[in-house]
Amino acid sequence: MFHAFAEAWKGLRRNGLSSFLSLLTTFIALSLLGATFLVEANLRYMFKTVEQGMDVQAFLKKGISPTEIGEILAAVKEIPGVSDVTYVSPEDGLKELREMFQDMASVLDGLETNNPLPPKIEVKTTGVEEIVSVASSLRGIPGVEDVIYQKEAQKKLEAIGRVLQIAGLAGVISMGVVSVLVIGNSIRLTIIARRHEVAIMKLVGATDGFITAPFFFEGLLLGFFGAVAASGMLIGVYYWLSGWLAATLPYLPVLPLDGPLTTDILTILVITGLAVGGFGSALSLRKYLT
Amino acid sequence: MFHAFAEAWKGLRRNGLSSFLSLLTTFIALSLLGATFLVEANLRYMFKTVEQGMDVQAFLKKGISPTEIGEILAAVKEIPGVSDVTYVSPEDGLKELREMFQDMASVLDGLETNNPLPPKIEVKTTGVEEIVSVASSLRGIPGVEDVIYQKEAQKKLEAIGRVLQIAGLAGVISMGVVSVLVIGNSIRLTIIARRHEVAIMKLVGATDGFITAPFFFEGLLLGFFGAVAASGMLIGVYYWLSGWLAATLPYLPVLPLDGPLTTDILTILVITGLAVGGFGSALSLRKYLT
Amino acid sequence: MIRLKNVEKTYNGHITALSGINLQVEKGEFVFLVGPSGAGKSTLIKLLYREEVPTKGEVSVLGEDLGRMRRSQIPFFRRRIGVVFQDFKLLEDRTVYENVAFALRVTNCPAREIQKRVMNALHIVNLRDRRDAYPQELSGGEQQRVAIARALVRKPEILLADEPTGNLDPSTSMEIFRLLERANLYGTTVVVATHARAFVDAMKKRVVELRDGRIVRDVRRGSYSE
Amino acid sequence: MIRLKNVEKTYNGHITALSGINLQVEKGEFVFLVGPSGAGKSTLIKLLYREEVPTKGEVSVLGEDLGRMRRSQIPFFRRRIGVVFQDFKLLEDRTVYENVAFALRVTNCPAREIQKRVMNALHIVNLRDRRDAYPQELSGGEQQRVAIARALVRKPEILLADEPTGNLDPSTSMEIFRLLERANLYGTTVVVATHARAFVDAMKKRVVELRDGRIVRDVRRGSYSE
Ligand SMILES: Nc1ncnc2c1ncn2[C@@H]1O[C@H](COP(=O)(O)OP(=O)(O)OP(=O)(O)O)[C@@H](O)[C@H]1O
Ligand SMILES: Nc1ncnc2c1ncn2[C@@H]1O[C@H](COP(=O)(O)OP(=O)(O)OP(=O)(O)O)[C@@H](O)[C@H]1O
Ligand SMILES: [Mg+2]
Ligand SMILES: [Mg+2]
């Protein structure tokens, strides 16, 4: 066991340049896998954020009394799928409009004295799927005049959400396959270059395990170092990029670089690296063992 | 020459599996390069579209006469940096608003009879950089009351534009480097596996050129087929994806898959493939030739 | 110890390397395998350590029926046999010392023991000084002696040597043959394929002559040719 | 034709393979290079076709000063020389035919001519039947004969042979030496490093003996040892 490990280390050192280039290949392949994972995680996160921002608006009778409003709010909170309710007075509504269209503020000038906006409540749902049922429940509440929500947007978001999930998974998986192929091929070629050595070892009475072990450990080391380097690089770049994005596009929701995210990347890359490196070399060898 | 080409072909066939895996590696590396290029081209296109959609609005005196409007339009067309001018009457303005906020249509109900909107002209500029100068020119035209444009958005777009250009180029270049490294490494390993053959050829009196040529052609063939396969795959996927996007997110500007784009991809990938394949193998060989 | 019954070996279905071979070698025997180039000497030796399996017939060595041997048992079987390969088969990326040590490392020989035995084997073939050289840095004869040292270091029950002196001068060859003879005296069964007429004639051992894949002569205390 | 002046060759700065070598071989000579394993025979031959360059001194072959030869000239120089390598150096991934043909392909020999000459060379070494085999599918002696055919096929001005019969039986060896002698009669200068005492003694050619990297004997019509 220790012997095999020492042999693996010697093997890597003996073939310095080759090992370095294989490491680089592993690094590149795993970086791509990690980057795809990060993009996928961010898209999912963005979608989640957008989804949570989605809400249903219910316009109330004009001149409704504060007590009635209180009752309505209480009733709305009971509806399943509702995560939050806010009351927006006509004055607040006008302010909101003004903020949304600050550059066209003059358009709204005439409305100040003669506010045409009805009082309304904004209802946040727990997810896109709940919007339709919440809206219909809202319609049943007395004092609610009209209920609006972005039907089209809702459907699209649902569709995009589904597609994102599938595409993201497909992306990560296919990048995983790419890593496996690229790393595996580089290992395979390394072993081809040593096929004579392997044949000789067998003739001298080495067991398959004895021959495989150093290659296996070599692959493990390669995979491990490649994964750690790739993780380090990605985390560094992500740290810098997310800082830059936060400054430039403050409204863009970016997954924060916290413990779990770091752990995820490290886990994915190290496991892929070890698995491909170790089993890649073990499997590639089988051809020359039988 | 012909002999070298025939040898190259034989070499590829002789090492069937190895050649196939090298081809796969080349394919993967070039696909990544191509995909990065497509994403970069689309981001640039999106940005261009957004940029072109950006405009300056000038509100005119209320109750302005059609002749005056005609004069103003003529004057505006003279301003350098202006690509298009449209007149929007108060009624058109209200319609526009209604369309933009169809879900909140009730908000605008009160405005029908008492339209508070001033007449305005919408001016498109040839690019973001022109907005500020066009706006100040507009202010000097008699009959123009107020000029508005998205100052913040303009600055951000300019920044994003610059960043996109740099990041996109950096992305394409680094993917190019990745391709070169991954393909180059796989070629190098293939040559290592044949280092004894190369040494023998030299001893028998083969010139460097005679030894290199088949490897060079082998690399070229590999690069070429890899590039064509990658282009084919990318164009297929792009065709499908852009169709899907057009259906799902009609407002997202997607670069159409036309002749120039196809040519661009093919050119980039084939040139990279040939260059890396051909020179990669020639350069890798040098070590074993001297 | 070694028994071949009606053995036939064809390569690629049409090249007959051996046919109708019946041969029995007892423990402690010393056998010369002679015959012209391409007669099948190496093929016969390859059958004995199971690098090749016969197309027909039975080969049993050290009490094991090689045709029935499980794949996982092969390495353990080979450890009981020392082989000097015709083309040496040294590990290119290891030193002389490591090449010889490798034969012991595959068994579970303790490190101290390995050192002692390897140095001893290198001493016997007169290569102690070159122990840190790589095979490519050795002369043809030196490489051949490394191969011999590797076969001897394990003190095998059977020693197979395929043309062990093809690259050695007469006096070094003489030493090697003496070495084989001494190993034989200590009980090792020895089978040597060789073209070294002078030594075969001088040593008066059992001679088995192959020709076109058949045994054409098998005499005790024989000479290279009739 | 071949002239070495005060040649010294050390490997890795400390292993002296040759020292103080002065040797002159005229056109049409036949020279045996003998000496114990590790004496420096192969190293001397390697200097002659510029696989190695001397550490000190001058080597000139076919009128060319090998120390001053431009890299780009080496292949053209080598084409004028046929070499039988001690370790054969056959191309593993080509058939016997292709291995021999390769020596002609590197020159601009027309295809028809190649076919004729290769088949003729294979006939001489008795390997026409095995022309489509790969080197690994050949016996040791057969591989050696392919190497000999490859060296002969170019009808070289100088033929260098490093232990060309180490894997051949006496009668095949005899044929090979006859072949070398015949080539020599047609004007080829021949240098053969060998341990084959019986043939050296029988052929009565010039013998150069090396020992520890020095020339210790150089006699016309000599024998393997004094
Ligand atoms: N792997 C193989 N594939 C095909 N043919 C083979 C293979 N190995 C050996 N042969 C053929 O089998 C025959 C016997 O070969 P073998 O190596 O046993 O001869 P040998 O007696 O050892 O000859 P030498 O003295 O030249 O080493 C030869 O004709 C050879 O070409
Ligand atoms: N590449 C090398 N690196 C280091 N030492 C070498 C190298 N090649 C040869 N030597 C050493 O130089 C000495 C002479 O070697 P050479 O191959 O010339 O011997 P030789 O006379 O051909 O012997 P043999 O009859 O065994 O083939 C030997 O001691 C050998 O170990
Ligand atoms: Mg043999
Ligand atoms: Mg030698």
Side-chain angles (χ1 to χ4, degrees):
Chain A
M1 196 65 178
F2 170 73
H3 169 254
F5 200 81
E7 279 292 312
W9 185 247
K10 264 194 246 163
L12 284 175
R13 303 247 331 243
R14 205 158 27 212
N15 306 284
L17 182 63
S18 279
S19 303
F20 174 74
L21 284 173
S22 293
L23 186 66
L24 202 67
T25 304
T26 310
F27 168 78
I28 288 170
L30 290 178
S31 296
L32 290 174
L33 171 62
T36 313
F37 169 74
L38 280 175
V39 168
E40 194 265 350
N42 266 288
L43 284 178
R44 233 185 318 126
Y45 178 68
M46 254 174 234
F47 175 69
K48 195 96 202 154
T49 314
V50 171
E51 198 182 83
Q52 277 171 352
M54 282 288 297
D55 54 13
V56 181
Q57 301 189 12
F59 295 105
L60 308 181
K61 273 199 313 245
K62 281 198 182 180
I64 199 164
S65 74
T67 2
E68 281 175 300
I69 292 171
E71 280 165 17
I72 289 174
L73 289 177
V76 170
K77 276 186 186 132
E78 296 298 307
I79 300 173
V82 167
S83 72
D84 195 23
V85 204
T86 335
Y87 170 69
V88 182
S89 68
E91 296 74 41
D92 293 341
L94 196 60
K95 245 185 250 160
E96 250 179 28
L97 267 187
R98 228 175 249 291
E99 266 164 31
M100 273 172 88
F101 311 106
Q102 33 177 329
D103 289 320
M104 292 183 277
S106 50
V107 175
L108 302 165
D109 278 353
L111 305 179
E112 207 86 309
T113 45
N114 176 19
N115 191 338
L117 297 175
K120 64 171 182 180
I121 55 173
E122 287 177 3
V123 180
K124 287 202 192 304
T125 61
T126 49
V128 226
E129 314 80 37
E130 315 297 341
I131 289 182
V132 181
S133 70
V134 167
S136 75
S137 301
L138 280 175
R139 275 200 198 92
I141 295 175
V144 170
E145 288 240 300
D146 195 6
V147 176
I148 62 170
Y149 58 90
Q150 304 222 301
K151 284 201 193 90
E152 274 308 301
Q154 186 255 116
K155 275 194 207 134
K156 259 182 212 159
L157 270 182
E158 243 176 31
I160 295 179
R162 239 179 284 124
V163 168
L164 269 188
Q165 258 177 334
I166 298 172
L169 202 67
V172 171
I173 290 180
S174 58
M175 271 303 159
V177 172
V178 165
S179 316
V180 171
L181 284 175
V182 168
I183 302 174
N185 189 31
S186 115
I187 290 176
R188 225 182 61 82
L189 288 169
T190 309
I191 288 176
I192 288 181
R194 298 206 222 158
R195 64 192 180 282
H196 293 298
E197 318 290 302
V198 169
I200 293 172
M201 290 179 184
K202 278 196 68 182
L203 289 179
V204 179
T207 55
D208 290 359
F210 189 89
I211 298 171
T212 318
F215 284 100
F216 180 75
F217 282 121
E218 232 180 276
L220 282 188
L221 284 175
L222 218 62
F224 180 74
F225 287 129
V228 169
S231 307
M233 190 278 284
L234 284 174
I235 290 171
V237 168
Y238 193 85
Y239 176 78
W240 173 81
L241 202 69
S242 59
W244 181 80
L245 278 176
T248 319
L249 299 168
Y251 297 112
L252 194 73
V254 174
L255 207 55
L257 184 68
D258 51 7
L261 188 65
T262 318
T263 320
D264 277 2
I265 297 178
L266 263 171
T267 314
I268 293 182
L269 297 196
V270 169
I271 287 181
T272 312
L274 290 179
V276 180
F279 294 104
S281 37
L283 288 180
S284 299
L285 257 181
R286 282 188 61 175
K287 193 179 150 191
Y288 297 100
L289 287 175
T290 48
Chain B
M1 195 67 178
F2 170 73
H3 169 254
F5 200 80
E7 277 293 310
W9 185 247
K10 265 194 247 164
L12 285 175
R13 302 245 332 242
R14 206 160 25 216
N15 306 283
L17 183 63
S18 280
S19 303
F20 175 74
L21 284 174
S22 294
L23 186 66
L24 203 67
T25 304
T26 310
F27 169 78
I28 289 170
L30 290 178
S31 295
L32 290 174
L33 171 61
T36 313
F37 169 74
L38 280 176
V39 168
E40 194 264 349
N42 265 289
L43 284 177
R44 235 186 317 127
Y45 177 70
M46 253 175 234
F47 176 68
K48 194 99 203 157
T49 314
V50 171
E51 197 182 83
Q52 277 171 352
M54 282 289 297
D55 54 13
V56 182
Q57 301 190 11
F59 294 105
L60 308 181
K61 272 198 314 245
K62 282 199 181 177
I64 199 163
S65 75
T67 1
E68 281 174 302
I69 292 170
E71 280 164 16
I72 291 174
L73 289 178
V76 169
K77 275 186 186 134
E78 297 297 304
I79 301 173
V82 167
S83 73
D84 196 23
V85 205
T86 334
Y87 171 70
V88 181
S89 69
E91 295 75 41
D92 292 342
L94 195 61
K95 246 186 247 161
E96 249 181 28
L97 268 186
R98 228 176 248 292
E99 266 163 32
M100 274 172 86
F101 311 107
Q102 32 175 331
D103 288 325
M104 291 184 274
S106 51
V107 175
L108 302 164
D109 276 354
L111 305 179
E112 207 86 312
T113 45
N114 176 22
N115 191 339
L117 297 175
K120 65 172 182 179
I121 54 174
E122 286 178 4
V123 180
K124 286 201 192 302
T125 61
T126 49
V128 224
E129 314 79 36
E130 316 295 342
I131 289 181
V132 180
S133 70
V134 167
S136 74
S137 301
L138 281 174
R139 272 198 202 95
I141 294 176
V144 171
E145 288 239 300
D146 196 6
V147 176
I148 62 169
Y149 58 89
Q150 303 222 303
K151 285 203 194 88
E152 272 309 302
Q154 187 253 117
K155 276 195 207 134
K156 257 182 211 158
L157 270 182
E158 243 176 31
I160 295 179
R162 239 178 285 124
V163 167
L164 269 189
Q165 258 176 334
I166 299 172
L169 203 67
V172 171
I173 290 179
S174 58
M175 270 304 159
V177 172
V178 165
S179 314
V180 171
L181 284 175
V182 168
I183 302 174
N185 189 32
S186 115
I187 290 176
R188 226 184 60 82
L189 289 169
T190 309
I191 289 175
I192 289 182
R194 298 206 223 159
R195 63 191 180 282
H196 292 298
E197 319 289 301
V198 169
I200 293 171
M201 292 179 183
K202 278 198 68 182
L203 290 178
V204 178
T207 55
D208 289 359
F210 188 90
I211 298 171
T212 317
F215 283 101
F216 180 75
F217 283 120
E218 232 181 276
L220 282 187
L221 283 175
L222 218 62
F224 180 74
F225 287 130
V228 169
S231 307
M233 189 277 285
L234 284 174
I235 289 171
V237 168
Y238 193 84
Y239 176 79
W240 173 82
L241 202 69
S242 58
W244 181 80
L245 278 175
T248 319
L249 300 168
Y251 297 111
L252 195 72
V254 173
L255 207 55
L257 184 67
D258 50 8
L261 188 65
T262 318
T263 319
D264 278 2
I265 298 179
L266 263 171
T267 314
I268 293 183
L269 297 196
V270 169
I271 287 182
T272 312
L274 290 179
V276 180
F279 294 104
S281 38
L283 288 179
S284 299
L285 257 181
R286 282 188 61 174
K287 194 179 150 193
Y288 297 100
L289 286 175
T290 48
Chain C
M1 182 117 287
I2 295 175
R3 202 169 56 232
L4 287 84
K5 253 206 279 189
N6 294 320
V7 167
E8 180 175 322
K9 173 71 192 176
T10 53
Y11 289 108
N12 305 333
H14 66 103
I15 299 158
T16 306
L18 291 175
S19 67
I21 299 290
N22 284 292
L23 182 69
Q24 191 145 348
V25 179
E26 301 308 331
K27 186 166 162 52
E29 267 196 284
F30 191 119
V31 182
F32 279 121
L33 222 50
V34 302
S37 172
K41 303 180 294 299
S42 298
T43 302
L44 204 158
I45 286 183
K46 284 176 186 168
L47 291 176
L48 299 184
Y49 62 92
R50 209 190 173 288
E51 183 178 348
E52 297 285 355
V53 283
T55 316
K56 278 193 203 140
E58 264 176 45
V59 177
S60 98
V61 177
L62 287 167
E64 312 252 15
D65 180 345
L66 298 195
R68 297 241 179 82
M69 186 176 274
R70 290 217 316 280
R71 231 183 75 73
S72 58
Q73 284 308 306
I74 299 174
F76 302 97
F77 163 73
R78 285 188 179 150
R79 290 180 195 170
R80 300 168 65 189
I81 299 179
V83 188
V84 182
F85 301 93
Q86 189 168 14
D87 53 355
F88 317 153
K89 295 203 190 295
L90 301 177
L91 297 167
E92 243 188 21
D93 57 352
R94 290 169 202 242
T95 61
V96 166
Y97 180 91
E98 278 303 326
N99 263 283
V100 178
F102 190 82
L104 293 175
R105 284 202 210 291
V106 296
T107 65
N108 285 319
C109 190
R112 232 178 328 144
E113 175 93 1
I114 290 180
Q115 158 115 15
K116 219 180 63 197
R117 283 167 69 175
V118 172
M119 288 313 280
N120 187 41
L122 288 178
H123 178 75
I124 289 176
V125 297
N126 203 2
L127 278 178
R128 278 182 82 136
D129 300 346
R130 304 290 280 130
R131 66 174 171 276
D132 292 326
Y134 288 91
Q136 316 89 274
E137 300 176 351
L138 298 179
S139 80
E142 286 164 349
Q143 290 180 35
Q144 192 153 41
R145 284 180 276 155
V146 178
I148 292 167
R150 182 178 60 186
L152 290 171
V153 77
R154 235 158 27 186
K155 303 196 174 108
E157 297 170 55
I158 297 181
L159 186 66
L160 307 175
D162 196 351
E163 198 65 67
T165 59
N167 288 276
L168 296 175
D169 54 286
S171 78
T172 310
S173 298
M174 165 88 79
E175 284 169 37
I176 297 301
F177 280 113
R178 285 233 181 87
L179 207 64
L180 298 181
E181 207 169 10
R182 204 168 60 205
N184 180 241
L185 279 180
Y186 285 110
T188 302
T189 309
V190 180
V191 178
V192 188
T194 188
H195 295 303
R197 159 180 253 145
F199 295 101
V200 176
D201 289 349
M203 286 171 74
K204 304 242 178 301
K205 302 288 184 187
R206 176 175 172 191
V207 174
V208 174
E209 184 176 344
L210 286 171
R211 202 169 278 266
D212 291 333
R214 299 185 167 276
I215 295 180
V216 294
R217 189 162 61 102
D218 183 352
V219 285
R220 326 228 129 239
R221 299 181 58 75
S223 57
Y224 187 84
S225 51
E226 280 165 294
Chain D
M1 182 116 289
I2 296 176
R3 203 169 56 231
L4 286 86
K5 252 206 279 188
N6 295 319
V7 167
E8 180 175 323
K9 174 71 192 176
T10 54
Y11 288 109
N12 305 334
H14 67 103
I15 298 157
T16 306
L18 291 175
S19 66
I21 300 289
N22 284 292
L23 181 69
Q24 190 144 349
V25 179
E26 301 309 329
K27 185 166 162 52
E29 267 196 282
F30 191 120
V31 181
F32 278 121
L33 222 50
V34 302
S37 172
K41 303 178 295 298
S42 298
T43 301
L44 204 158
I45 285 182
K46 283 176 187 167
L47 291 176
L48 299 184
Y49 62 91
R50 210 190 173 289
E51 182 177 348
E52 298 284 356
V53 283
T55 316
K56 276 190 202 143
E58 265 175 46
V59 177
S60 100
V61 177
L62 288 168
E64 311 251 16
D65 180 344
L66 298 194
R68 297 242 179 81
M69 185 177 275
R70 289 217 316 279
R71 231 184 76 74
S72 58
Q73 283 309 304
I74 299 173
F76 302 98
F77 164 73
R78 285 188 179 150
R79 290 179 195 171
R80 301 168 65 190
I81 299 180
V83 188
V84 182
F85 302 93
Q86 189 167 16
D87 53 355
F88 317 153
K89 295 204 191 294
L90 301 178
L91 297 167
E92 242 187 23
D93 56 353
R94 290 169 201 241
T95 61
V96 166
Y97 180 91
E98 278 303 325
N99 264 283
V100 178
F102 190 82
L104 293 175
R105 284 202 210 288
V106 295
T107 66
N108 284 320
C109 191
R112 228 170 340 136
E113 174 92 3
I114 290 181
Q115 157 115 14
K116 219 179 64 197
R117 284 167 68 175
V118 172
M119 288 312 281
N120 187 40
L122 288 178
H123 178 75
I124 288 178
V125 296
N126 204 1
L127 277 179
R128 278 181 83 136
D129 300 346
R130 304 290 281 133
R131 65 174 171 274
D132 293 324
Y134 288 91
Q136 315 87 274
E137 301 175 352
L138 297 178
S139 81
E142 286 163 348
Q143 290 181 35
Q144 192 152 40
R145 284 180 276 155
V146 178
I148 293 167
R150 181 177 61 186
L152 290 171
V153 76
R154 236 159 26 187
K155 302 196 174 106
E157 298 170 54
I158 297 182
L159 186 66
L160 307 174
D162 196 352
E163 198 66 66
T165 58
N167 287 276
L168 296 175
D169 54 286
S171 78
T172 310
S173 298
M174 165 87 78
E175 285 169 36
I176 297 299
F177 279 114
R178 286 232 181 89
L179 208 64
L180 297 180
E181 207 169 10
R182 203 168 61 203
N184 181 240
L185 280 179
Y186 284 109
T188 302
T189 309
V190 179
V191 178
V192 188
T194 188
H195 296 302
R197 162 180 251 144
F199 295 101
V200 176
D201 288 349
M203 286 171 74
K204 302 243 178 301
K205 302 286 183 187
R206 178 173 170 191
V207 174
V208 174
E209 183 175 345
L210 287 171
R211 202 168 278 269
D212 291 333
R214 300 186 166 273
I215 294 179
V216 295
R217 188 163 62 101
D218 183 352
V219 287
R220 328 227 127 239
R221 298 182 58 76
S223 56
Y224 187 85
S225 51
E226 280 165 294

